[in-house]
Amino acid sequence: MVNINIICVGKIKEKYIKMGMEEFLKRMNLYAKVKIVELKEDGNDSDRERSIERESSEIIKMAEKHKGFNVLLDIGGKKLSSEEMAKEIEKITVRGMSTINFIIGGSYGVSDEVRRISGLRLSFSDMTFPHQLMRLILLEQVYRWFSILGNSKYHK
């Protein structure tokens, strides 16, 4: 079974996002073990670079703890269709990686070091999404990717 870690900065506050996430986490039990790793948000408006460094340092620690293939959600990353990303997941697991870490940085972004430790930088869109909502979108897509790989009706 594949282990999926979603390493993210900050906590979910909105109830409707929590409910949506719970639904996809429940569905994912068929395909993978999913863990949400929430890191403390620094959010220091007066020193954004310092916030990025602090949050990025914690992201790197968690990625190292959960040794696996790191996928950074990054607006400047590669754009893939759901089918293409499902194939990427398959390639990752065929290469023997049983853990995939999806990384969602804080509102100010991540350090270059986080980009360097990422085997794939993935962009969902040129648009900017709230980080909390992005977690729900990511969980839905992870479920979709595994549904594609499992030939489930969900994707159709």
Side-chain angles (χ1 to χ4, degrees):
M1 178 157 296
V2 178
N3 296 303
I4 303 287
N5 297 304
I6 298 176
I7 301 171
C8 44
V9 175
K11 298 209 176 284
I12 298 293
K13 296 172 185 109
E14 286 84 1
K15 189 175 181 179
Y16 74 96
I17 294 175
K18 286 181 182 179
M19 289 172 58
M21 289 176 58
E22 288 168 9
E23 177 62 30
F24 286 107
L25 286 168
K26 192 170 31 177
R27 292 181 188 193
M28 278 301 299
N29 285 332
L30 295 170
Y31 302 110
K33 182 181 173 195
V34 181
K35 182 178 177 185
I36 308 287
V37 180
E38 292 182 329
L39 304 174
K40 187 174 188 262
E41 185 174 22
D42 186 271
N44 185 344
D45 286 332
S46 62
D47 192 347
R48 289 182 177 207
E49 286 304 314
R50 191 169 176 194
S51 287
I52 289 170
E53 288 307 315
R54 283 184 182 161
E55 292 171 354
S56 294
S57 175
E58 292 303 311
I59 289 169
I60 292 165
K61 284 179 193 172
M62 278 302 133
E64 288 172 351
K65 179 181 176 184
H66 298 284
K67 294 176 179 42
F69 186 88
N70 298 320
V71 178
L72 174 64
L73 274 58
D74 186 350
I75 198 165
K78 190 174 188 179
K79 291 184 179 79
L80 299 171
S81 69
S82 294
E83 293 84 356
E84 290 169 331
M85 188 58 197
K87 286 178 186 169
E88 287 295 318
I89 297 286
E90 188 173 49
K91 286 180 202 172
I92 293 164
T93 57
V94 165
R95 286 187 300 216
M97 298 297 286
S98 61
T99 299
I100 302 172
N101 299 316
F102 289 93
I103 300 169
I104 303 174
S107 56
Y108 300 137
V110 296
S111 68
D112 287 339
E113 182 62 23
V114 173
R115 287 183 186 88
R116 276 193 292 280
I117 68 163
S118 300
L120 174 63
R121 291 173 46 215
L122 180 65
S123 174
F124 276 55
S125 171
D126 288 334
M127 293 184 262
T128 301
F129 296 101
H131 289 240
Q132 293 184 9
L133 184 58
M134 195 62 227
R135 278 191 232 175
L136 175 56
I137 294 168
L138 173 61
L139 277 173
E140 188 280 334
Q141 282 298 297
V142 169
Y143 179 69
R144 182 175 300 275
W145 301 329
F146 278 89
S147 296
I148 291 167
L149 294 173
N151 292 315
S152 163
K153 291 181 181 180
Y154 179 78
H155 177 65
K156 297 181 172 51

